[in-house]
Amino acid sequence: MENGGAKGDVPDDANEHCPGTQSEEAGKADACAGCPNQQICATAPKGPDPDVVAIVERLATVKHKLLVLSGKGGVGKSTFSAQLSFALAEMDHQVGLLDIDICGPSIPKMLGLEGQDIHQSNLGWSPVYVESNLGVMSIGFMLPNPDDAVIWRGPRKNGLIKQFLKDVDWGEIDYLVVDAPPGTSDEHISIVQYLQATGIDGAIIVTTPQQVSLIDVRKEINFCKKVGVPVLGVVENMSGLRQPLSDLRFIKSDEAGKTDATEWALNYIKEKAPELLSVMACSEVFDSSKGGAEKMCHEMGVPFLGKVPMDPQLCKAAEEGRSCFADQKCSASAPALRNIVKKLIKAE
């Protein structure tokens, strides 16, 4: 099918000889008759968005822009975004973390910033700072009550994303990490449209190992390819449970029910085989028998960044709003996350 519009300007289901969505003839030309997009094209504003110019100017001081995506919710995308930001800041980079998950903003909690407010100056909205080199912006700072539901349609969500990009004064920073909602919805189209004008480095996609998650990740990868966003790589999160044997709980089942046998078990191990207390216990939580994210990346021709195990200490760090790199508690997950961050920086 041949169309008259510019590449990327013509919907997939458009009629032959479509003039393009940005043309003055959009929705009005003879070729538009009967097209399912006719009414939308006829009433939509034409030409470049004037706010894009303001966004480009605002983000001119941001060196690198990283988009963190996931096909499904609950795979640890926001946890990864938070720890990626902590890691970059720990490496003495100036970092901004933008939470555009409008309906489920968990970043304030994961960075220990609950209850903080946004302040305005003559330069725009000021991020909330965790450290002097790590600033955060989220709709979570705007809600009077953290339990309030955000019940917005697409245009209002897109308007807030645009305002975040246009009005937040990040200053001179090395990295802007954008934590997006799961899926491929209005917010994704908007953030890609605006960031592409400023020069986006690419997307990092977070998944879990099982096929039910990877099915949607494939869609996410195809979304990136269609809109022209480079896929920097895929992270397989919750890749098996891993924790020190000494952190496990033990339960003994008998006719009376279940009783906690942790103290007895650990004392027995300490007495009979003390060397086991330093051993890491591992277990597959999700089925990865079909190759997981690594195999999928090979099939789809995108980089595989690595695996992050399910680490109860990492979950605790996220709940407490702190970096998993600050101490030795996250011994299972912190090294894996650090290796992934090194790969990302080396790839740029």
Side-chain angles (χ1 to χ4, degrees):
M1 178 183 293
E2 300 215 354
N3 291 292
K7 188 177 180 182
D9 192 17
V10 177
D12 291 339
D13 56 352
N15 287 354
E16 192 173 1
H17 306 302
C18 169
T21 58
Q22 294 302 312
S23 168
E24 290 296 328
E25 291 297 309
K28 303 171 187 176
D30 292 342
C32 299
C35 177
N37 308 295
Q38 184 176 15
Q39 185 176 359
I40 297 172
C41 290
T43 57
K46 307 297 187 297
D49 186 338
D51 285 331
V52 171
V53 176
I55 290 171
V56 170
E57 290 176 354
R58 175 65 80 179
L59 297 183
T61 58
V62 179
K63 293 179 183 175
H64 301 285
K65 304 163 194 78
L66 307 175
L67 189 59
V68 183
L69 305 171
S70 69
K72 281 192 178 298
V75 299
K77 169 186 57 59
S78 294
T79 300
F80 178 80
S81 295
Q83 297 304 325
L84 170 61
S85 301
F86 275 128
L88 291 170
E90 186 191 61
M91 297 164 75
D92 292 327
H93 294 294
Q94 297 293 323
V95 183
L97 174 55
L98 175 59
D99 180 9
I100 63 165
D101 194 344
I102 307 297
C103 294
S106 50
I107 288 298
K109 170 76 173 175
M110 292 185 174
L111 279 93
L113 298 173
E114 285 184 297
Q116 297 292 318
D117 296 319
I118 296 171
H119 299 285
Q120 286 184 290
S121 70
N122 59 341
L123 296 176
W125 290 355
S126 298
V128 178
Y129 283 90
V130 184
E131 303 286 349
S132 60
N133 64 335
L134 176 52
V136 181
M137 181 56 67
S138 169
I139 192 178
F141 299 136
M142 301 176 176
L143 301 177
N145 185 326
D147 296 333
D148 287 347
V150 179
I151 308 172
W152 289 1
R153 293 188 186 275
R156 195 172 177 191
K157 292 179 184 178
N158 296 342
L160 181 62
I161 292 171
K162 184 187 288 187
Q163 194 166 7
F164 276 156
L165 295 174
K166 183 165 61 80
D167 293 344
V168 176
D169 178 30
W170 297 104
E172 298 266 352
I173 63 173
D174 300 305
Y175 290 93
L176 178 63
V177 178
V178 181
D179 183 48
T184 53
S185 58
D186 283 356
E187 295 98 313
H188 302 81
I189 297 169
S190 294
I191 195 70
V192 166
Q193 177 188 348
Y194 302 139
L195 285 183
Q196 277 182 327
T198 70
I200 180 173
D201 290 63
I204 304 154
I205 303 175
V206 181
T207 184
T208 45
Q210 77 276 32
Q211 288 297 310
V212 73
S213 179
L214 295 175
I215 287 169
D216 289 334
V217 171
R218 291 174 184 272
K219 296 171 186 167
E220 202 79 33
I221 292 170
N222 284 325
F223 166 81
C224 290
K225 289 179 178 179
K226 282 185 178 180
V227 297
V229 173
V231 177
L232 299 177
V234 175
V235 174
E236 183 177 283
N237 196 28
M238 306 186 200
S239 186
L241 174 66
R242 193 176 303 170
Q243 64 184 125
L245 186 70
S246 57
D247 287 351
L248 292 176
R249 286 186 61 227
F250 296 86
I251 294 174
K252 187 181 290 185
S253 298
D254 51 35
E255 293 180 359
K258 295 179 179 178
T259 56
D260 191 316
T262 304
E263 186 177 356
W264 170 83
L266 291 178
N267 285 336
Y268 186 87
I269 294 170
K270 193 181 296 183
E271 181 184 341
K272 302 294 184 180
E275 63 275 12
L276 289 180
L277 292 174
S278 60
V279 170
M280 197 76 74
C282 304
S283 175
E284 290 295 322
V285 179
F286 298 111
D287 179 21
S288 58
S289 60
K290 295 191 176 178
E294 188 169 7
K295 182 181 178 184
M296 181 209 65
C297 287
H298 178 72
E299 292 170 349
M300 298 198 73
V302 296
F304 178 65
L305 293 174
K307 301 179 180 183
V308 180
M310 184 181 287
D311 180 358
Q313 289 297 331
L314 175 59
C315 299
K316 190 173 182 181
E319 284 289 303
E320 296 174 356
R322 57 182 174 81
S323 168
C324 73
F325 308 104
D327 51 40
Q328 301 301 313
K329 293 180 180 178
C330 300
S331 57
S333 56
L337 284 164
R338 203 183 296 277
N339 286 337
I340 288 169
V341 175
K342 287 178 181 176
K343 281 186 183 179
L344 280 170
I345 292 178
K346 187 177 179 181
E348 290 172 359

